[in-house]
PDB file of all heavy atoms in Angstrom:
ATOM      1  N   MET A   1      16.296  -7.095  -2.168  1.00 28.00           N
ATOM      2  CA  MET A   1      14.954  -6.883  -1.630  1.00 28.00           C
ATOM      3  C   MET A   1      14.621  -5.394  -1.628  1.00 28.00           C
ATOM      4  O   MET A   1      15.431  -4.578  -1.185  1.00 28.00           O
ATOM      5  CB  MET A   1      14.850  -7.457  -0.217  1.00 28.00           C
ATOM      6  CG  MET A   1      13.440  -7.467   0.356  1.00 28.00           C
ATOM      7  SD  MET A   1      13.342  -8.366   1.908  1.00 28.00           S
ATOM      8  CE  MET A   1      13.662 -10.029   1.360  1.00 28.00           C
ATOM      9  N   ASN A   2      13.443  -5.046  -2.130  1.00 30.00           N
ATOM     10  CA  ASN A   2      13.065  -3.648  -2.304  1.00 30.00           C
ATOM     11  C   ASN A   2      12.353  -3.149  -1.051  1.00 30.00           C
ATOM     12  O   ASN A   2      11.150  -3.310  -0.890  1.00 30.00           O
ATOM     13  CB  ASN A   2      12.148  -3.525  -3.524  1.00 30.00           C
ATOM     14  CG  ASN A   2      11.861  -2.083  -3.848  1.00 30.00           C
ATOM     15  OD1 ASN A   2      12.550  -1.201  -3.367  1.00 30.00           O
ATOM     16  ND2 ASN A   2      10.858  -1.859  -4.680  1.00 30.00           N
ATOM     17  N   TRP A   3      13.092  -2.535  -0.122  1.00 26.00           N
ATOM     18  CA  TRP A   3      12.503  -2.052   1.123  1.00 26.00           C
ATOM     19  C   TRP A   3      11.983  -0.637   0.931  1.00 26.00           C
ATOM     20  O   TRP A   3      12.605   0.180   0.273  1.00 26.00           O
ATOM     21  CB  TRP A   3      13.542  -2.052   2.241  1.00 26.00           C
ATOM     22  CG  TRP A   3      13.874  -3.423   2.692  1.00 26.00           C
ATOM     23  CD1 TRP A   3      14.836  -4.241   2.192  1.00 26.00           C
ATOM     24  CD2 TRP A   3      13.237  -4.158   3.728  1.00 26.00           C
ATOM     25  NE1 TRP A   3      14.834  -5.433   2.840  1.00 26.00           N
ATOM     26  CE2 TRP A   3      13.864  -5.411   3.799  1.00 26.00           C
ATOM     27  CE3 TRP A   3      12.193  -3.881   4.614  1.00 26.00           C
ATOM     28  CZ2 TRP A   3      13.486  -6.384   4.700  1.00 26.00           C
ATOM     29  CZ3 TRP A   3      11.820  -4.844   5.514  1.00 26.00           C
ATOM     30  CH2 TRP A   3      12.452  -6.083   5.553  1.00 26.00           C
ATOM     31  N   PRO A   4      10.844  -0.311   1.564  1.00 30.00           N
ATOM     32  CA  PRO A   4      10.304   1.035   1.465  1.00 30.00           C
ATOM     33  C   PRO A   4      11.103   2.014   2.316  1.00 30.00           C
ATOM     34  O   PRO A   4      11.767   1.617   3.271  1.00 30.00           O
ATOM     35  CB  PRO A   4       8.873   0.878   2.029  1.00 30.00           C
ATOM     36  CG  PRO A   4       8.984  -0.258   3.000  1.00 30.00           C
ATOM     37  CD  PRO A   4       9.997  -1.200   2.394  1.00 30.00           C
ATOM     38  N   ALA A   5      11.008   3.267   1.948  1.00 31.00           N
ATOM     39  CA  ALA A   5      11.578   4.312   2.787  1.00 31.00           C
ATOM     40  C   ALA A   5      10.609   4.608   3.914  1.00 31.00           C
ATOM     41  O   ALA A   5       9.468   4.978   3.683  1.00 31.00           O
ATOM     42  CB  ALA A   5      11.815   5.576   1.953  1.00 31.00           C
ATOM     43  N   ILE A   6      11.063   4.398   5.157  1.00 32.00           N
ATOM     44  CA  ILE A   6      10.190   4.555   6.320  1.00 32.00           C
ATOM     45  C   ILE A   6      10.816   5.572   7.257  1.00 32.00           C
ATOM     46  O   ILE A   6      11.997   5.461   7.606  1.00 32.00           O
ATOM     47  CB  ILE A   6       9.987   3.219   7.055  1.00 32.00           C
ATOM     48  CG1 ILE A   6       9.344   2.201   6.109  1.00 32.00           C
ATOM     49  CG2 ILE A   6       9.138   3.404   8.292  1.00 32.00           C
ATOM     50  CD1 ILE A   6       9.202   0.830   6.716  1.00 32.00           C
ATOM     51  N   ALA A   7      10.034   6.545   7.639  1.00 31.00           N
ATOM     52  CA  ALA A   7      10.533   7.575   8.547  1.00 31.00           C
ATOM     53  C   ALA A   7       9.613   7.700   9.736  1.00 31.00           C
ATOM     54  O   ALA A   7       8.402   7.633   9.613  1.00 31.00           O
ATOM     55  CB  ALA A   7      10.627   8.919   7.825  1.00 31.00           C
ATOM     56  N   GLY A   8      10.198   7.854  10.908  1.00 32.00           N
ATOM     57  CA  GLY A   8       9.404   8.133  12.085  1.00 32.00           C
ATOM     58  C   GLY A   8       8.593   6.977  12.603  1.00 32.00           C
ATOM     59  O   GLY A   8       7.566   7.173  13.242  1.00 32.00           O
ATOM     60  N   ILE A   9       9.022   5.726  12.366  1.00 36.00           N
ATOM     61  CA  ILE A   9       8.280   4.587  12.881  1.00 36.00           C
ATOM     62  C   ILE A   9       8.295   4.623  14.405  1.00 36.00           C
ATOM     63  O   ILE A   9       9.297   4.926  15.043  1.00 36.00           O
ATOM     64  CB  ILE A   9       8.899   3.272  12.366  1.00 36.00           C
ATOM     65  CG1 ILE A   9       8.692   3.163  10.859  1.00 36.00           C
ATOM     66  CG2 ILE A   9       8.329   2.072  13.069  1.00 36.00           C
ATOM     67  CD1 ILE A   9       7.240   3.119  10.446  1.00 36.00           C
ATOM     68  N   ALA A  10       7.170   4.259  15.011  1.00 36.00           N
ATOM     69  CA  ALA A  10       7.030   4.222  16.469  1.00 36.00           C
ATOM     70  C   ALA A  10       7.248   5.607  17.080  1.00 36.00           C
ATOM     71  O   ALA A  10       7.898   5.762  18.106  1.00 36.00           O
ATOM     72  CB  ALA A  10       7.971   3.204  17.100  1.00 36.00           C
ATOM     73  N   LEU A  11       6.690   6.609  16.427  1.00 40.00           N
ATOM     74  CA  LEU A  11       6.801   7.965  16.962  1.00 40.00           C
ATOM     75  C   LEU A  11       6.047   8.133  18.279  1.00 40.00           C
ATOM     76  O   LEU A  11       6.485   8.838  19.171  1.00 40.00           O
ATOM     77  CB  LEU A  11       6.250   8.968  15.941  1.00 40.00           C
ATOM     78  CG  LEU A  11       7.067   9.200  14.668  1.00 40.00           C
ATOM     79  CD1 LEU A  11       6.305  10.135  13.758  1.00 40.00           C
ATOM     80  CD2 LEU A  11       8.427   9.762  15.003  1.00 40.00           C
ATOM     81  N   LEU A  12       4.895   7.486  18.346  1.00 45.00           N
ATOM     82  CA  LEU A  12       4.017   7.696  19.480  1.00 45.00           C
ATOM     83  C   LEU A  12       3.497   6.367  19.978  1.00 45.00           C
ATOM     84  O   LEU A  12       3.416   5.397  19.243  1.00 45.00           O
ATOM     85  CB  LEU A  12       2.814   8.563  19.075  1.00 45.00           C
ATOM     86  CG  LEU A  12       3.095   9.946  18.490  1.00 45.00           C
ATOM     87  CD1 LEU A  12       1.802  10.544  17.982  1.00 45.00           C
ATOM     88  CD2 LEU A  12       3.711  10.851  19.539  1.00 45.00           C
ATOM     89  N   CYS A  13       3.102   6.311  21.252  1.00 46.00           N
ATOM     90  CA  CYS A  13       2.362   5.174  21.780  1.00 46.00           C
ATOM     91  C   CYS A  13       1.170   5.752  22.513  1.00 46.00           C
ATOM     92  O   CYS A  13       1.301   6.292  23.609  1.00 46.00           O
ATOM     93  CB  CYS A  13       3.216   4.341  22.724  1.00 46.00           C
ATOM     94  SG  CYS A  13       2.405   2.830  23.282  1.00 46.00           S
ATOM     95  N   LEU A  14       0.001   5.680  21.838  1.00 41.00           N
ATOM     96  CA  LEU A  14      -1.195   6.317  22.360  1.00 41.00           C
ATOM     97  C   LEU A  14      -2.148   5.270  22.887  1.00 41.00           C
ATOM     98  O   LEU A  14      -1.726   4.238  23.392  1.00 41.00           O
ATOM     99  CB  LEU A  14      -1.816   7.167  21.252  1.00 41.00           C
ATOM    100  CG  LEU A  14      -0.891   8.260  20.689  1.00 41.00           C
ATOM    101  CD1 LEU A  14      -1.547   8.917  19.486  1.00 41.00           C
ATOM    102  CD2 LEU A  14      -0.543   9.285  21.735  1.00 41.00           C
ATOM    103  N   SER A  15      -3.447   5.502  22.767  1.00 39.00           N
ATOM    104  CA  SER A  15      -4.446   4.592  23.301  1.00 39.00           C
ATOM    105  C   SER A  15      -4.250   3.186  22.750  1.00 39.00           C
ATOM    106  O   SER A  15      -4.078   2.978  21.562  1.00 39.00           O
ATOM    107  CB  SER A  15      -5.841   5.095  22.913  1.00 39.00           C
ATOM    108  OG  SER A  15      -6.829   4.175  23.280  1.00 39.00           O
ATOM    109  N   GLY A  16      -4.279   2.187  23.644  1.00 44.00           N
ATOM    110  CA  GLY A  16      -4.121   0.803  23.237  1.00 44.00           C
ATOM    111  C   GLY A  16      -2.695   0.502  22.801  1.00 44.00           C
ATOM    112  O   GLY A  16      -2.424  -0.517  22.186  1.00 44.00           O
ATOM    113  N   CYS A  17      -1.727   1.377  23.155  1.00 51.00           N
ATOM    114  CA  CYS A  17      -0.329   1.207  22.761  1.00 51.00           C
ATOM    115  C   CYS A  17      -0.182   1.046  21.260  1.00 51.00           C
ATOM    116  O   CYS A  17       0.632   0.256  20.785  1.00 51.00           O
ATOM    117  CB  CYS A  17       0.301   0.028  23.500  1.00 51.00           C
ATOM    118  SG  CYS A  17       0.620   0.372  25.235  1.00 51.00           S
ATOM    119  N   SER A  18      -0.989   1.771  20.496  1.00 63.00           N
ATOM    120  CA  SER A  18      -0.828   1.782  19.047  1.00 63.00           C
ATOM    121  C   SER A  18       0.342   2.689  18.697  1.00 63.00           C
ATOM    122  O   SER A  18       0.444   3.817  19.190  1.00 63.00           O
ATOM    123  CB  SER A  18      -2.107   2.282  18.375  1.00 63.00           C
ATOM    124  OG  SER A  18      -3.157   1.368  18.554  1.00 63.00           O
ATOM    125  N   HIS A  19       1.243   2.202  17.842  1.00 92.00           N
ATOM    126  CA  HIS A  19       2.360   2.999  17.381  1.00 92.00           C
ATOM    127  C   HIS A  19       1.985   3.711  16.091  1.00 92.00           C
ATOM    128  O   HIS A  19       1.188   3.217  15.307  1.00 92.00           O
ATOM    129  CB  HIS A  19       3.588   2.124  17.178  1.00 92.00           C
ATOM    130  CG  HIS A  19       4.123   1.538  18.442  1.00 92.00           C
ATOM    131  ND1 HIS A  19       4.863   2.254  19.361  1.00 92.00           N
ATOM    132  CD2 HIS A  19       4.017   0.292  18.962  1.00 92.00           C
ATOM    133  CE1 HIS A  19       5.188   1.489  20.368  1.00 92.00           C
ATOM    134  NE2 HIS A  19       4.684   0.281  20.153  1.00 92.00           N
ATOM    135  N   TYR A  20       2.588   4.866  15.869  1.00 97.00           N
ATOM    136  CA  TYR A  20       2.297   5.689  14.706  1.00 97.00           C
ATOM    137  C   TYR A  20       3.590   6.083  14.020  1.00 97.00           C
ATOM    138  O   TYR A  20       4.614   6.300  14.668  1.00 97.00           O
ATOM    139  CB  TYR A  20       1.525   6.955  15.124  1.00 97.00           C
ATOM    140  CG  TYR A  20       0.140   6.664  15.641  1.00 97.00           C
ATOM    141  CD1 TYR A  20      -0.049   6.197  16.945  1.00 97.00           C
ATOM    142  CD2 TYR A  20      -0.966   6.820  14.822  1.00 97.00           C
ATOM    143  CE1 TYR A  20      -1.326   5.903  17.409  1.00 97.00           C
ATOM    144  CE2 TYR A  20      -2.242   6.538  15.292  1.00 97.00           C
ATOM    145  CZ  TYR A  20      -2.411   6.072  16.579  1.00 97.00           C
ATOM    146  OH  TYR A  20      -3.662   5.773  17.032  1.00 97.00           O
ATOM    147  N   GLY A  21       3.549   6.190  12.706  1.00 98.00           N
ATOM    148  CA  GLY A  21       4.729   6.578  11.955  1.00 98.00           C
ATOM    149  C   GLY A  21       4.375   7.110  10.582  1.00 98.00           C
ATOM    150  O   GLY A  21       3.203   7.143  10.187  1.00 98.00           O
ATOM    151  N   THR A  22       5.394   7.547   9.864  1.00 98.00           N
ATOM    152  CA  THR A  22       5.250   8.064   8.514  1.00 98.00           C
ATOM    153  C   THR A  22       5.957   7.107   7.564  1.00 98.00           C
ATOM    154  O   THR A  22       7.141   6.813   7.753  1.00 98.00           O
ATOM    155  CB  THR A  22       5.864   9.470   8.407  1.00 98.00           C
ATOM    156  OG1 THR A  22       5.213  10.326   9.338  1.00 98.00           O
ATOM    157  CG2 THR A  22       5.706  10.016   6.992  1.00 98.00           C
ATOM    158  N   PHE A  23       5.250   6.614   6.546  1.00 98.00           N
ATOM    159  CA  PHE A  23       5.839   5.649   5.627  1.00 98.00           C
ATOM    160  C   PHE A  23       5.019   5.615   4.347  1.00 98.00           C
ATOM    161  O   PHE A  23       3.923   6.166   4.275  1.00 98.00           O
ATOM    162  CB  PHE A  23       5.892   4.248   6.251  1.00 98.00           C
ATOM    163  CG  PHE A  23       4.600   3.807   6.902  1.00 98.00           C
ATOM    164  CD1 PHE A  23       3.569   3.275   6.142  1.00 98.00           C
ATOM    165  CD2 PHE A  23       4.414   3.921   8.274  1.00 98.00           C
ATOM    166  CE1 PHE A  23       2.384   2.869   6.725  1.00 98.00           C
ATOM    167  CE2 PHE A  23       3.226   3.518   8.869  1.00 98.00           C
ATOM    168  CZ  PHE A  23       2.208   2.987   8.095  1.00 98.00           C
ATOM    169  N   THR A  24       5.581   4.977   3.341  1.00 98.00           N
ATOM    170  CA  THR A  24       4.868   4.680   2.102  1.00 98.00           C
ATOM    171  C   THR A  24       5.135   3.227   1.740  1.00 98.00           C
ATOM    172  O   THR A  24       6.079   2.608   2.250  1.00 98.00           O
ATOM    173  CB  THR A  24       5.316   5.583   0.940  1.00 98.00           C
ATOM    174  OG1 THR A  24       6.709   5.384   0.707  1.00 98.00           O
ATOM    175  CG2 THR A  24       5.042   7.047   1.250  1.00 98.00           C
ATOM    176  N   LEU A  25       4.323   2.669   0.847  1.00 98.00           N
ATOM    177  CA  LEU A  25       4.571   1.339   0.344  1.00 98.00           C
ATOM    178  C   LEU A  25       5.769   1.350  -0.601  1.00 98.00           C
ATOM    179  O   LEU A  25       6.163   2.405  -1.098  1.00 98.00           O
ATOM    180  CB  LEU A  25       3.339   0.804  -0.386  1.00 98.00           C
ATOM    181  CG  LEU A  25       2.296   0.057   0.469  1.00 98.00           C
ATOM    182  CD1 LEU A  25       1.646   0.989   1.470  1.00 98.00           C
ATOM    183  CD2 LEU A  25       1.243  -0.598  -0.427  1.00 98.00           C
ATOM    184  N   PRO A  26       6.361   0.169  -0.875  1.00 98.00           N
ATOM    185  CA  PRO A  26       7.434   0.116  -1.884  1.00 98.00           C
ATOM    186  C   PRO A  26       6.909   0.590  -3.235  1.00 98.00           C
ATOM    187  O   PRO A  26       5.703   0.544  -3.495  1.00 98.00           O
ATOM    188  CB  PRO A  26       7.788  -1.378  -1.933  1.00 98.00           C
ATOM    189  CG  PRO A  26       7.257  -1.962  -0.674  1.00 98.00           C
ATOM    190  CD  PRO A  26       6.061  -1.156  -0.302  1.00 98.00           C
ATOM    191  N   PRO A  27       7.795   1.019  -4.141  1.00 97.00           N
ATOM    192  CA  PRO A  27       7.341   1.404  -5.478  1.00 97.00           C
ATOM    193  C   PRO A  27       6.560   0.259  -6.124  1.00 97.00           C
ATOM    194  O   PRO A  27       6.996  -0.895  -6.081  1.00 97.00           O
ATOM    195  CB  PRO A  27       8.646   1.693  -6.232  1.00 97.00           C
ATOM    196  CG  PRO A  27       9.620   2.055  -5.160  1.00 97.00           C
ATOM    197  CD  PRO A  27       9.249   1.225  -3.968  1.00 97.00           C
ATOM    198  N   PRO A  28       5.409   0.545  -6.729  1.00 97.00           N
ATOM    199  CA  PRO A  28       4.584  -0.531  -7.296  1.00 97.00           C
ATOM    200  C   PRO A  28       5.217  -1.161  -8.530  1.00 97.00           C
ATOM    201  O   PRO A  28       6.044  -0.556  -9.216  1.00 97.00           O
ATOM    202  CB  PRO A  28       3.273   0.179  -7.641  1.00 97.00           C
ATOM    203  CG  PRO A  28       3.628   1.618  -7.760  1.00 97.00           C
ATOM    204  CD  PRO A  28       4.763   1.854  -6.831  1.00 97.00           C
ATOM    205  N   ASP A  29       4.809  -2.375  -8.810  1.00 94.00           N
ATOM    206  CA  ASP A  29       5.299  -3.142  -9.958  1.00 94.00           C
ATOM    207  C   ASP A  29       4.959  -2.404 -11.257  1.00 94.00           C
ATOM    208  O   ASP A  29       3.824  -1.967 -11.458  1.00 94.00           O
ATOM    209  CB  ASP A  29       4.643  -4.519  -9.939  1.00 94.00           C
ATOM    210  CG  ASP A  29       5.295  -5.493 -10.902  1.00 94.00           C
ATOM    211  OD1 ASP A  29       6.070  -5.061 -11.767  1.00 94.00           O
ATOM    212  OD2 ASP A  29       4.990  -6.696 -10.793  1.00 94.00           O
ATOM    213  N   THR A  30       5.935  -2.287 -12.144  1.00 94.00           N
ATOM    214  CA  THR A  30       5.693  -1.595 -13.415  1.00 94.00           C
ATOM    215  C   THR A  30       5.182  -2.546 -14.500  1.00 94.00           C
ATOM    216  O   THR A  30       4.810  -2.094 -15.583  1.00 94.00           O
ATOM    217  CB  THR A  30       6.981  -0.922 -13.913  1.00 94.00           C
ATOM    218  OG1 THR A  30       8.009  -1.905 -14.039  1.00 94.00           O
ATOM    219  CG2 THR A  30       7.429   0.155 -12.946  1.00 94.00           C
ATOM    220  N   HIS A  31       5.173  -3.841 -14.228  1.00 92.00           N
ATOM    221  CA  HIS A  31       4.677  -4.797 -15.210  1.00 92.00           C
ATOM    222  C   HIS A  31       3.150  -4.774 -15.249  1.00 92.00           C
ATOM    223  O   HIS A  31       2.485  -4.328 -14.313  1.00 92.00           O
ATOM    224  CB  HIS A  31       5.169  -6.208 -14.875  1.00 92.00           C
ATOM    225  CG  HIS A  31       6.652  -6.369 -14.978  1.00 92.00           C
ATOM    226  ND1 HIS A  31       7.501  -6.161 -13.911  1.00 92.00           N
ATOM    227  CD2 HIS A  31       7.450  -6.700 -16.026  1.00 92.00           C
ATOM    228  CE1 HIS A  31       8.746  -6.375 -14.293  1.00 92.00           C
ATOM    229  NE2 HIS A  31       8.744  -6.694 -15.572  1.00 92.00           N
ATOM    230  N   GLY A  32       2.593  -5.256 -16.339  1.00 92.00           N
ATOM    231  CA  GLY A  32       1.145  -5.341 -16.472  1.00 92.00           C
ATOM    232  C   GLY A  32       0.548  -4.087 -17.065  1.00 92.00           C
ATOM    233  O   GLY A  32       1.241  -3.097 -17.334  1.00 92.00           O
ATOM    234  N   PRO A  33      -0.761  -4.103 -17.268  1.00 91.00           N
ATOM    235  CA  PRO A  33      -1.438  -2.963 -17.891  1.00 91.00           C
ATOM    236  C   PRO A  33      -1.394  -1.726 -17.007  1.00 91.00           C
ATOM    237  O   PRO A  33      -1.323  -1.827 -15.789  1.00 91.00           O
ATOM    238  CB  PRO A  33      -2.869  -3.463 -18.082  1.00 91.00           C
ATOM    239  CG  PRO A  33      -3.035  -4.550 -17.070  1.00 91.00           C
ATOM    240  CD  PRO A  33      -1.696  -5.208 -16.949  1.00 91.00           C
ATOM    241  N   ALA A  34      -1.431  -0.553 -17.659  1.00 92.00           N
ATOM    242  CA  ALA A  34      -1.468   0.725 -16.951  1.00 92.00           C
ATOM    243  C   ALA A  34      -2.708   1.491 -17.410  1.00 92.00           C
ATOM    244  O   ALA A  34      -2.597   2.495 -18.127  1.00 92.00           O
ATOM    245  CB  ALA A  34      -0.202   1.517 -17.214  1.00 92.00           C
ATOM    246  N   PRO A  35      -3.886   1.046 -17.020  1.00 92.00           N
ATOM    247  CA  PRO A  35      -5.114   1.656 -17.540  1.00 92.00           C
ATOM    248  C   PRO A  35      -5.405   2.997 -16.896  1.00 92.00           C
ATOM    249  O   PRO A  35      -4.926   3.306 -15.803  1.00 92.00           O
ATOM    250  CB  PRO A  35      -6.182   0.630 -17.156  1.00 92.00           C
ATOM    251  CG  PRO A  35      -5.661   0.008 -15.903  1.00 92.00           C
ATOM    252  CD  PRO A  35      -4.167  -0.054 -16.077  1.00 92.00           C
ATOM    253  N   SER A  36      -6.205   3.793 -17.581  1.00 90.00           N
ATOM    254  CA  SER A  36      -6.715   5.027 -16.980  1.00 90.00           C
ATOM    255  C   SER A  36      -8.011   4.744 -16.233  1.00 90.00           C
ATOM    256  O   SER A  36      -8.415   5.518 -15.363  1.00 90.00           O
ATOM    257  CB  SER A  36      -6.958   6.083 -18.066  1.00 90.00           C
ATOM    258  OG  SER A  36      -7.866   5.599 -19.048  1.00 90.00           O
ATOM    259  N   SER A  37      -8.679   3.635 -16.583  1.00 92.00           N
ATOM    260  CA  SER A  37      -9.912   3.222 -15.909  1.00 92.00           C
ATOM    261  C   SER A  37     -10.110   1.733 -16.148  1.00 92.00           C
ATOM    262  O   SER A  37      -9.337   1.096 -16.874  1.00 92.00           O
ATOM    263  CB  SER A  37     -11.115   4.022 -16.425  1.00 92.00           C
ATOM    264  OG  SER A  37     -11.325   3.781 -17.801  1.00 92.00           O
ATOM    265  N   TRP A  38     -11.158   1.194 -15.517  1.00 96.00           N
ATOM    266  CA  TRP A  38     -11.460  -0.229 -15.620  1.00 96.00           C
ATOM    267  C   TRP A  38     -12.935  -0.421 -15.950  1.00 96.00           C
ATOM    268  O   TRP A  38     -13.764   0.415 -15.605  1.00 96.00           O
ATOM    269  CB  TRP A  38     -11.156  -0.953 -14.306  1.00 96.00           C
ATOM    270  CG  TRP A  38      -9.741  -0.875 -13.843  1.00 96.00           C
ATOM    271  CD1 TRP A  38      -9.153   0.164 -13.171  1.00 96.00           C
ATOM    272  CD2 TRP A  38      -8.726  -1.869 -13.997  1.00 96.00           C
ATOM    273  NE1 TRP A  38      -7.841  -0.118 -12.892  1.00 96.00           N
ATOM    274  CE2 TRP A  38      -7.554  -1.367 -13.389  1.00 96.00           C
ATOM    275  CE3 TRP A  38      -8.695  -3.139 -14.579  1.00 96.00           C
ATOM    276  CZ2 TRP A  38      -6.355  -2.090 -13.350  1.00 96.00           C
ATOM    277  CZ3 TRP A  38      -7.501  -3.863 -14.529  1.00 96.00           C
ATOM    278  CH2 TRP A  38      -6.358  -3.342 -13.931  1.00 96.00           C
ATOM    279  N   THR A  39     -13.235  -1.543 -16.583  1.00 96.00           N
ATOM    280  CA  THR A  39     -14.617  -1.948 -16.836  1.00 96.00           C
ATOM    281  C   THR A  39     -14.906  -3.241 -16.075  1.00 96.00           C
ATOM    282  O   THR A  39     -14.101  -4.175 -16.114  1.00 96.00           O
ATOM    283  CB  THR A  39     -14.855  -2.178 -18.347  1.00 96.00           C
ATOM    284  OG1 THR A  39     -14.652  -0.946 -19.034  1.00 96.00           O
ATOM    285  CG2 THR A  39     -16.283  -2.664 -18.600  1.00 96.00           C
ATOM    286  N   TRP A  40     -16.061  -3.268 -15.422  1.00 97.00           N
ATOM    287  CA  TRP A  40     -16.471  -4.448 -14.672  1.00 97.00           C
ATOM    288  C   TRP A  40     -17.214  -5.419 -15.591  1.00 97.00           C
ATOM    289  O   TRP A  40     -18.141  -5.022 -16.293  1.00 97.00           O
ATOM    290  CB  TRP A  40     -17.381  -4.066 -13.517  1.00 97.00           C
ATOM    291  CG  TRP A  40     -16.705  -3.308 -12.416  1.00 97.00           C
ATOM    292  CD1 TRP A  40     -16.544  -1.956 -12.324  1.00 97.00           C
ATOM    293  CD2 TRP A  40     -16.111  -3.870 -11.246  1.00 97.00           C
ATOM    294  NE1 TRP A  40     -15.881  -1.639 -11.167  1.00 97.00           N
ATOM    295  CE2 TRP A  40     -15.605  -2.789 -10.488  1.00 97.00           C
ATOM    296  CE3 TRP A  40     -15.964  -5.173 -10.761  1.00 97.00           C
ATOM    297  CZ2 TRP A  40     -14.962  -2.987  -9.265  1.00 97.00           C
ATOM    298  CZ3 TRP A  40     -15.323  -5.361  -9.548  1.00 97.00           C
ATOM    299  CH2 TRP A  40     -14.819  -4.284  -8.815  1.00 97.00           C
ATOM    300  N   GLN A  41     -16.812  -6.675 -15.553  1.00 97.00           N
ATOM    301  CA  GLN A  41     -17.496  -7.728 -16.291  1.00 97.00           C
ATOM    302  C   GLN A  41     -17.998  -8.751 -15.277  1.00 97.00           C
ATOM    303  O   GLN A  41     -17.229  -9.557 -14.748  1.00 97.00           O
ATOM    304  CB  GLN A  41     -16.544  -8.385 -17.296  1.00 97.00           C
ATOM    305  CG  GLN A  41     -17.180  -9.486 -18.136  1.00 97.00           C
ATOM    306  CD  GLN A  41     -16.190 -10.039 -19.147  1.00 97.00           C
ATOM    307  OE1 GLN A  41     -15.591  -9.295 -19.922  1.00 97.00           O
ATOM    308  NE2 GLN A  41     -16.005 -11.347 -19.135  1.00 97.00           N
ATOM    309  N   ALA A  42     -19.300  -8.713 -15.006  1.00 97.00           N
ATOM    310  CA  ALA A  42     -19.870  -9.526 -13.934  1.00 97.00           C
ATOM    311  C   ALA A  42     -20.250 -10.912 -14.418  1.00 97.00           C
ATOM    312  O   ALA A  42     -20.780 -11.084 -15.515  1.00 97.00           O
ATOM    313  CB  ALA A  42     -21.095  -8.832 -13.343  1.00 97.00           C
ATOM    314  N   HIS A  43     -19.984 -11.898 -13.589  1.00 97.00           N
ATOM    315  CA  HIS A  43     -20.442 -13.265 -13.808  1.00 97.00           C
ATOM    316  C   HIS A  43     -21.907 -13.351 -13.404  1.00 97.00           C
ATOM    317  O   HIS A  43     -22.311 -12.801 -12.383  1.00 97.00           O
ATOM    318  CB  HIS A  43     -19.594 -14.222 -12.974  1.00 97.00           C
ATOM    319  CG  HIS A  43     -19.942 -15.661 -13.114  1.00 97.00           C
ATOM    320  ND1 HIS A  43     -20.979 -16.254 -12.417  1.00 97.00           N
ATOM    321  CD2 HIS A  43     -19.387 -16.647 -13.860  1.00 97.00           C
ATOM    322  CE1 HIS A  43     -21.040 -17.531 -12.725  1.00 97.00           C
ATOM    323  NE2 HIS A  43     -20.088 -17.803 -13.600  1.00 97.00           N
ATOM    324  N   SER A  44     -22.710 -14.031 -14.174  1.00 97.00           N
ATOM    325  CA  SER A  44     -24.138 -14.135 -13.878  1.00 97.00           C
ATOM    326  C   SER A  44     -24.391 -15.069 -12.704  1.00 97.00           C
ATOM    327  O   SER A  44     -23.827 -16.166 -12.629  1.00 97.00           O
ATOM    328  CB  SER A  44     -24.885 -14.656 -15.116  1.00 97.00           C
ATOM    329  OG  SER A  44     -26.257 -14.786 -14.841  1.00 97.00           O
ATOM    330  N   GLY A  45     -25.231 -14.604 -11.773  1.00 98.00           N
ATOM    331  CA  GLY A  45     -25.639 -15.441 -10.649  1.00 98.00           C
ATOM    332  C   GLY A  45     -24.644 -15.432  -9.503  1.00 98.00           C
ATOM    333  O   GLY A  45     -23.481 -15.041  -9.649  1.00 98.00           O
TER     334      GLY A  45
END
């Protein structure tokens, strides 16, 4: 299982007991297209 690197989880408990931390998402999937941009193709109606 690919777990993200998480640092400083639950550093603070502020208003509404919200916890704060420093983290990133897991490395993204390398499969599929790697475009520089996208074009929208809208369905009519």
